[in-house]
Amino acid sequence: MTDSAVGAPEMDQKALDKRSRLVILASSVGTVIEWYDFYLYGSLAAIITTQFFSGVNETTGYIFALMAFAAGFAVRPFGAIVFGRLGDLWGRKNTFLVTMLLMGLSTFVVGLLPPYAAIGIAAPIILVAMRLVQGLALGGEYGGAATYVAEHAPHGKRGFYTSFIQITATAGLMLSLIVIVGVRYTIGEAAFADWGWRIPFLVSILLLGVSLWIRLKLAESPAFQKMKDEGKGSKTPLKDSFGKWPNLKIVLIALIGLAAGQAVVWYTGQFYALFFLEKILKVDGGLTNIMVAIALLLATPFFVFWGWLSDKIGRKPIILGGCLIAALTYFPLFHALTNAANPQLAAATASSPVTVYADPADCNLQFDPIGKTVFNQSCDLAKSYLAKAGVTYSNIAAPAGTVAEVRVGSVVIPSFRGEALSAADFKSQKADWDKGLGAALKTAGYPAKADSALVNKPVVIGILFILVFYVTMVYGPIAAALVEMFPTNIRYTSMSLPYHIGNGWFGGFLPTTAFAMVAATGNIYYGLWYPIVIAIATAVLGFLLVKEGKDVDIHH
């Protein structure tokens, strides 16, 4: 039996199902490991900030760390173009062997990379370079795996079969969290922060060996092999995908009507929730990882459920419905997350709200790309302290020339004009002022960090489960939906680009953008407007423009 025969109507259905299950298993295991490599960085963003961006102020350093995380997403569309073209020319199997090798080796290098303290600016430069390699590789990986599985799936079961590929991203994140938690609790927090964080990166070289061994056992996709045998392949997949309006129009519809909304829901539920707990609510990193991992484990089966259901009722209503429900409930869910994860912070915010009363001209954006700017104006001093402490505050404009002050409930803490002082006097006065503001916040009930004993763990896990449940709705059927929109000869190229622009740009930049919005406004919930607006836009545009494709025959 040749590969080109697989999927033919006359083939015995039981043999087809057996072959398809083997393909799903092999493709999924390999893709899990690729996602594991990619998400290690996001899971360890707080530690990587101190290791590789210690030469800048803390707020800037964390934004830089998130930007380096996002850099891997920024190049994913270019990886989709490069490897999508190769996949439509060489075949699905050969292409994602190359992407896996690039991913595994770049992750291993990060585990060996010296910190900023040892080699200076070269450390973050090399780190970002490895992230770019990872992004290029992942840009080619997902489209190949999704296309490969879909082209093996029997008609009427594409949503179900490709949903197992959709599990891989969450499974890879969960695997990274399990390894991180295991190492953390084995060697202790101090050792983990110092050197133990490298272990999960170094372990990836072993996983790479397993992945390559699995992938080498696969044969070529039957639809691609059939197309190749019949001489119907595209010699210019890029031109045919994006240089001809009928297909380019479908690419754009796939992006704005499906992928963009799916992406922001995915990253809000699985990554921004993690950042929100650890960075903004100050929950212990180990506890955060455990709670997120449990929520992921509980929600993961629903990827398959929604994939299966999409074969019955269609991809469109499930994906767009998930986008809309998520957008309408994010604000109450994240408010509830604050109450459950850091009840002291929630109580203090309600009883003693913080206000910064300052001349707007005295306030600068708390972001320093060079790492040399001293934020010494009175408003900057107030906002930088509050941002570092994770305290929500509102802004009131004061008359020009007014020295800023922080109002904690009824207590007023005047700031000072640091720009008028010498370096020594500024350092001394700032230390005293920080101490005074810290004491006022403590008296008002604002905790320096969340008390792990007070964290309502079942409620937090329940909220995280709901957020990931939304992810399963939008992500479970997306591979089948995108594959069905394009013909075989340009499918790898065409479906990869909208997926990776959506997930690489709209989704990958979500943590960075949302955190910057929070830092700029002082409102810890303000960053949620980013995913909400995009998810609603996708729900509306998708309803109007996307055609249901569950009954499309992708072999013709």
Side-chain angles (χ1 to χ4, degrees):
M1 179 179 66
T2 64
D3 286 329
S4 59
V6 179
E10 64 271 14
M11 182 176 181
D12 178 73
Q13 187 64 46
K14 293 182 69 174
L16 176 61
D17 287 345
K18 182 178 180 180
R19 173 61 176 256
S20 297
R21 284 194 293 269
L22 178 62
V23 167
I24 291 169
L25 176 64
S27 299
S28 299
V29 170
T31 309
V32 164
I33 295 171
E34 288 227 32
W35 283 111
Y36 165 85
D37 288 349
F38 196 77
Y39 285 133
L40 277 180
Y41 184 97
S43 301
L44 295 173
I47 289 176
I48 286 174
T49 301
T50 62
Q51 291 286 332
F52 296 103
F53 299 98
S54 57
V56 298
N57 70 68
E58 185 170 346
T59 300
T60 297
Y62 195 73
I63 292 176
F64 265 172
L66 291 178
M67 287 178 68
F69 175 62
F73 293 91
V75 298
R76 279 171 57 175
F78 301 102
I81 291 172
V82 172
F83 292 108
R85 175 180 178 275
L86 295 178
D88 284 326
L89 293 174
W90 290 358
R92 312 340 186 180
K93 173 191 170 183
N94 293 332
T95 302
F96 60 38
L97 284 173
V98 174
T99 60
M100 173 166 288
L101 188 62
L102 288 173
M103 176 69 77
L105 292 178
S106 58
T107 303
F108 184 71
V109 169
V110 172
L112 299 175
L113 184 60
Y116 187 96
I119 61 174
I121 193 65
I125 290 175
I126 297 172
L127 177 70
V128 171
M130 292 302 99
R131 288 293 299 168
L132 294 176
V133 172
Q134 286 184 327
L136 287 171
L138 192 58
E141 162 64 24
Y142 175 84
T147 301
Y148 187 81
V149 172
E151 291 178 347
H152 277 86
H155 188 71
K157 292 187 177 181
R158 280 193 300 272
F160 176 66
Y161 279 50
T162 56
S163 67
F164 288 93
I165 288 293
Q166 304 310 97
I167 288 176
T168 61
T170 298
L173 172 58
M174 186 163 61
L175 179 61
S176 72
L177 293 176
I178 290 171
V179 173
I180 289 168
V181 169
V183 175
R184 246 181 167 137
Y185 282 89
T186 299
I187 67 176
E189 282 294 325
F192 185 81
D194 183 28
W195 57 268
W197 63 270
R198 298 179 180 276
I199 294 175
F201 287 93
L202 298 175
V203 165
S204 68
I205 199 69
L206 301 176
L207 301 177
L208 172 63
V210 174
S211 302
L212 288 174
W213 177 73
I214 292 173
R215 287 282 173 90
L216 287 169
K217 290 180 173 293
L218 296 176
E220 188 48 83
S221 151
F224 179 85
Q225 191 65 50
K226 179 174 182 288
M227 176 193 72
K228 186 177 179 181
D229 292 343
E230 295 174 353
K232 295 180 179 179
S234 171
K235 291 181 170 46
T236 56
L238 291 180
K239 180 180 178 181
D240 292 342
S241 293
F242 314 123
K244 298 179 179 179
W245 174 244
N247 195 74
L248 178 60
K249 180 176 70 172
I250 299 175
V251 169
L252 295 174
I253 290 173
L255 171 60
I256 63 175
L258 290 174
Q262 166 264 305
V264 296
V265 172
W266 201 103
Y267 285 96
T268 301
Q270 298 198 155
F271 263 106
Y272 190 63
L274 188 152
F275 289 144
F276 188 84
L277 282 169
E278 188 170 356
K279 183 64 180 179
I280 297 177
L281 300 184
K282 307 294 183 181
V283 178
D284 175 74
L287 177 59
T288 295
N289 289 340
I290 290 174
M291 292 189 294
V292 171
I294 292 173
L296 292 174
L297 185 63
L298 293 174
T300 292
F302 288 95
F303 285 104
V304 178
F305 169 76
W306 293 117
W308 168 82
L309 187 62
S310 76
D311 287 325
K312 312 298 180 185
I313 67 173
R315 331 297 184 197
K316 181 176 171 178
I318 296 173
I319 296 172
L320 301 184
C323 287
L324 187 59
I325 294 170
L328 295 176
T329 58
Y330 274 156
F331 276 122
L333 284 172
F334 275 82
H335 276 279
L337 194 59
T338 300
N339 292 330
N342 196 338
Q344 292 174 306
L345 177 63
T349 302
S351 63
S352 302
V354 176
T355 302
V356 175
Y357 182 74
D359 174 6
D362 202 26
C363 304
N364 297 296
L365 182 64
Q366 297 288 311
F367 181 61
D368 174 23
I370 301 174
K372 303 299 181 183
T373 302
V374 178
F375 294 104
N376 54 12
Q377 293 180 284
S378 62
C379 176
D380 293 336
L381 292 167
K383 289 192 171 185
S384 63
Y385 185 95
L386 295 172
K388 180 180 178 181
V391 174
T392 295
Y393 60 88
S394 57
N395 296 277
I396 297 180
T402 302
V403 175
E405 58 188 35
V406 179
R407 300 173 179 179
V408 184
S410 60
V411 177
V412 178
I413 305 94
S415 184
F416 65 96
R417 295 195 180 283
E419 71 271 24
L421 302 175
S422 66
D425 289 342
F426 171 74
K427 183 177 181 181
S428 174
Q429 190 162 341
K430 184 176 184 302
D432 292 339
W433 187 79
D434 285 354
K435 184 177 180 180
L437 180 54
L441 290 169
K442 183 177 180 181
T443 301
Y446 284 89
K449 61 177 296 184
D451 185 342
S452 296
L454 297 179
V455 175
N456 190 330
K457 300 171 186 66
V459 172
V460 171
I461 292 170
I463 295 168
L464 293 174
F465 169 80
I466 293 172
L467 293 172
V468 181
F469 183 80
Y470 296 159
V471 173
T472 66
M473 286 187 70
V474 301
Y475 201 57
I478 193 72
L482 293 175
V483 165
E484 290 160 352
M485 297 178 82
F486 304 102
T488 303
N489 63 338
I490 55 171
R491 181 172 293 137
Y492 196 149
T493 304
S494 296
M495 71 87 65
S496 293
L497 188 64
Y499 174 83
H500 286 294
I501 289 179
N503 286 269
W505 292 357
F506 287 91
F509 284 104
L510 187 150
T512 307
T513 305
F515 181 75
M517 291 168 69
V518 169
T521 63
N523 183 341
I524 63 174
Y525 306 107
Y526 193 77
L528 293 172
W529 280 113
Y530 177 85
I532 287 172
V533 169
I534 293 174
I536 290 176
T538 289
V540 173
L541 294 173
F543 175 77
L544 296 173
L545 301 175
V546 173
K547 295 181 179 179
E548 181 57 59
K550 73 180 181 68
D551 295 322
V552 171
D553 185 350
I554 67 171
H555 293 278
H556 296 285

Coordinates of all heavy atoms in Angstrom, one line a residue, residues 54-90:
S54 N 19.8 42.7 33.9 CA 20.1 43.4 35.1 C 20.7 44.8 35.0 O 20.8 45.5 36.0 CB 21.0 42.5 36.0 OG 22.2 42.2 35.3
G55 N 21.0 45.2 33.8 CA 21.7 46.5 33.6 C 20.7 47.6 33.4 O 21.1 48.7 33.2
V56 N 19.4 47.3 33.5 CA 18.4 48.4 33.4 C 17.5 48.4 34.6 O 17.6 47.5 35.5 CB 17.5 48.2 32.1 CG1 18.4 48.3 30.9 CG2 16.8 46.9 32.2
N57 N 16.6 49.4 34.8 CA 15.7 49.5 35.9 C 14.7 48.4 35.8 O 14.5 47.8 34.8 CB 15.1 50.9 36.0 CG 14.0 51.1 35.0 OD1 13.0 50.5 34.9 ND2 14.3 52.0 34.0
E58 N 14.1 48.1 37.0 CA 13.3 46.8 37.1 C 12.1 46.8 36.1 O 11.8 45.8 35.5 CB 12.8 46.7 38.5 CG 12.1 45.3 38.7 CD 11.8 45.0 40.2 OE1 12.4 45.7 41.1 OE2 11.0 44.1 40.5
T59 N 11.4 48.0 36.0 CA 10.2 48.0 35.2 C 10.7 47.8 33.7 O 10.1 47.0 33.0 CB 9.5 49.3 35.3 OG1 9.1 49.5 36.7 CG2 8.3 49.4 34.4
T60 N 11.7 48.5 33.3 CA 12.2 48.4 31.9 C 12.7 46.9 31.7 O 12.5 46.4 30.6 CB 13.4 49.4 31.7 OG1 12.8 50.7 31.8 CG2 14.0 49.2 30.3
G61 N 13.4 46.4 32.7 CA 14.0 45.0 32.6 C 12.9 44.0 32.3 O 13.0 43.1 31.5
Y62 N 11.7 44.1 33.0 CA 10.7 43.2 32.8 C 10.0 43.3 31.5 O 9.7 42.4 30.8 CB 9.6 43.3 33.9 CG 8.7 42.1 34.0 CD1 9.2 40.9 34.4 CD2 7.4 42.1 33.5 CE1 8.4 39.7 34.5 CE2 6.6 41.0 33.5 CZ 7.1 39.8 34.0 OH 6.3 38.7 34.0
I63 N 9.8 44.6 31.1 CA 9.3 44.8 29.7 C 10.2 44.3 28.7 O 9.8 43.7 27.7 CB 9.0 46.3 29.5 CG1 7.9 46.8 30.4 CG2 8.6 46.6 28.0 CD1 7.6 48.3 30.4
F64 N 11.6 44.5 28.9 CA 12.5 43.9 27.9 C 12.5 42.4 27.9 O 12.6 41.8 26.8 CB 14.0 44.3 28.4 CG 14.5 45.5 27.7 CD1 15.7 46.1 28.1 CD2 13.8 46.1 26.6 CE1 16.2 47.3 27.4 CE2 14.3 47.3 26.0 CZ 15.5 47.8 26.4
A65 N 12.3 41.8 29.0 CA 12.2 40.3 29.1 C 11.0 39.9 28.3 O 11.0 38.9 27.5 CB 12.1 39.8 30.5
L66 N 9.9 40.6 28.5 CA 8.7 40.2 27.7 C 8.8 40.5 26.2 O 8.3 39.8 25.4 CB 7.5 41.0 28.2 CG 7.0 40.6 29.6 CD1 5.8 41.5 30.1 CD2 6.6 39.2 29.7
M67 N 9.6 41.6 25.9 CA 9.9 41.9 24.5 C 10.7 40.8 23.9 O 10.5 40.4 22.7 CB 10.6 43.2 24.4 CG 9.6 44.4 24.6 SD 10.5 46.0 24.5 CE 10.9 46.0 22.8
A68 N 11.7 40.3 24.6 CA 12.5 39.2 24.1 C 11.7 37.9 23.9 O 11.9 37.2 23.0 CB 13.7 38.9 25.1
F69 N 10.7 37.7 24.8 CA 9.8 36.6 24.7 C 9.0 36.8 23.4 O 8.8 35.9 22.6 CB 8.9 36.6 25.9 CG 7.7 35.6 25.8 CD1 8.0 34.2 25.7 CD2 6.4 36.0 25.8 CE1 7.0 33.3 25.6 CE2 5.4 35.1 25.8 CZ 5.7 33.7 25.7
A70 N 8.5 38.1 23.2 CA 7.7 38.4 22.0 C 8.5 38.3 20.7 O 8.0 38.1 19.7 CB 7.1 39.8 22.2
A71 N 9.9 38.5 20.8 CA 10.7 38.5 19.6 C 10.5 37.2 18.9 O 10.5 37.1 17.7 CB 12.1 38.7 20.0
G72 N 10.4 36.1 19.7 CA 10.2 34.8 19.1 C 8.9 34.7 18.3 O 8.8 34.0 17.3
F73 N 7.9 35.5 18.8 CA 6.7 35.5 18.1 C 6.7 36.4 16.9 O 6.0 36.2 15.9 CB 5.6 36.0 19.0 CG 5.3 35.0 20.1 CD1 5.9 35.1 21.3 CD2 4.3 34.0 20.0 CE1 5.7 34.2 22.4 CE2 4.1 33.1 21.0 CZ 4.7 33.2 22.2
A74 N 7.5 37.5 17.0 CA 7.5 38.5 15.9 C 8.0 37.8 14.6 O 7.5 38.2 13.5 CB 8.5 39.6 16.3
V75 N 8.9 36.9 14.7 CA 9.5 36.3 13.4 C 8.7 35.1 13.0 O 9.0 34.5 11.9 CB 11.0 36.0 13.6 CG1 11.8 37.2 13.8 CG2 11.2 34.9 14.7
R76 N 7.7 34.6 13.7 CA 7.0 33.4 13.3 C 6.3 33.5 12.0 O 6.4 32.6 11.2 CB 5.9 33.1 14.4 CG 6.5 32.3 15.6 CD 5.5 32.2 16.7 NE 4.3 31.5 16.3 CZ 3.4 31.1 17.2 NH1 3.5 31.4 18.5 NH2 2.3 30.5 16.8
P77 N 5.7 34.7 11.6 CA 5.2 34.8 10.2 C 6.3 34.6 9.1 O 6.0 34.0 8.1 CB 4.6 36.2 10.2 CG 4.3 36.5 11.6 CD 5.4 35.9 12.4
F78 N 7.5 35.1 9.4 CA 8.6 34.9 8.4 C 9.0 33.4 8.4 O 9.3 32.9 7.3 CB 9.8 35.7 8.8 CG 9.5 37.2 8.9 CD1 9.2 37.8 10.1 CD2 9.3 37.9 7.7 CE1 8.9 39.2 10.1 CE2 9.0 39.3 7.7 CZ 8.8 39.9 9.0
G79 N 9.0 32.7 9.5 CA 9.2 31.3 9.5 C 8.1 30.6 8.8 O 8.4 29.6 8.0
A80 N 6.9 31.1 8.9 CA 5.7 30.5 8.1 C 6.0 30.6 6.6 O 5.7 29.7 5.9 CB 4.4 31.1 8.6
I81 N 6.5 31.8 6.2 CA 6.7 32.0 4.8 C 7.8 31.1 4.3 O 7.7 30.4 3.3 CB 7.0 33.5 4.5 CG1 5.8 34.3 4.8 CG2 7.6 33.7 3.1 CD1 6.1 35.8 4.7
V82 N 9.0 31.1 5.0 CA 10.1 30.3 4.6 C 9.8 28.8 4.6 O 10.0 28.1 3.6 CB 11.3 30.6 5.5 CG1 12.5 29.7 5.2 CG2 11.8 32.0 5.3
F83 N 9.4 28.3 5.7 CA 9.2 26.9 5.8 C 7.9 26.4 5.2 O 7.8 25.2 4.8 CB 9.3 26.4 7.3 CG 10.6 26.6 7.9 CD1 10.9 27.6 8.8 CD2 11.7 25.7 7.5 CE1 12.2 27.7 9.3 CE2 12.9 25.9 8.0 CZ 13.2 26.9 8.9
G84 N 6.9 27.3 5.1 CA 5.7 27.0 4.4 C 5.9 26.7 2.9 O 5.4 25.8 2.3
R85 N 6.8 27.6 2.4 CA 7.2 27.4 1.0 C 7.9 26.1 0.8 O 7.6 25.3 -0.2 CB 8.1 28.6 0.5 CG 8.7 28.4 -0.9 CD 9.5 29.6 -1.2 NE 10.1 29.4 -2.6 CZ 11.3 28.8 -2.8 NH1 11.9 28.2 -1.8 NH2 11.7 28.7 -4.0
L86 N 8.9 25.8 1.7 CA 9.6 24.5 1.6 C 8.7 23.3 1.8 O 8.8 22.3 1.1 CB 10.7 24.5 2.6 CG 11.8 25.5 2.5 CD1 12.8 25.4 3.6 CD2 12.5 25.3 1.1
G87 N 7.7 23.5 2.7 CA 6.7 22.4 2.9 C 5.9 22.1 1.7 O 5.5 20.9 1.4
D88 N 5.5 23.1 0.9 CA 4.7 22.9 -0.3 C 5.6 22.4 -1.5 O 5.1 21.9 -2.5 CB 4.0 24.2 -0.7 CG 2.8 24.5 0.2 OD1 2.2 23.5 0.6 OD2 2.5 25.6 0.5
L89 N 6.9 22.6 -1.3 CA 7.9 22.2 -2.4 C 8.5 20.8 -2.0 O 8.5 19.9 -2.9 CB 9.0 23.2 -2.6 CG 8.6 24.5 -3.2 CD1 9.7 25.5 -3.2 CD2 8.0 24.3 -4.7
W90 N 9.0 20.7 -0.8 CA 9.7 19.5 -0.4 C 8.8 18.4 0.1 O 9.1 17.2 0.1 CB 10.7 19.8 0.7 CG 11.9 20.6 0.4 CD1 12.2 21.0 -0.9 CD2 12.9 21.0 1.3 NE1 13.4 21.7 -0.8 CE2 13.8 21.7 0.5 CE3 13.1 20.9 2.6 CZ2 15.0 22.3 1.1 CZ3 14.2 21.4 3.2 CH2 15.1 22.2 2.5

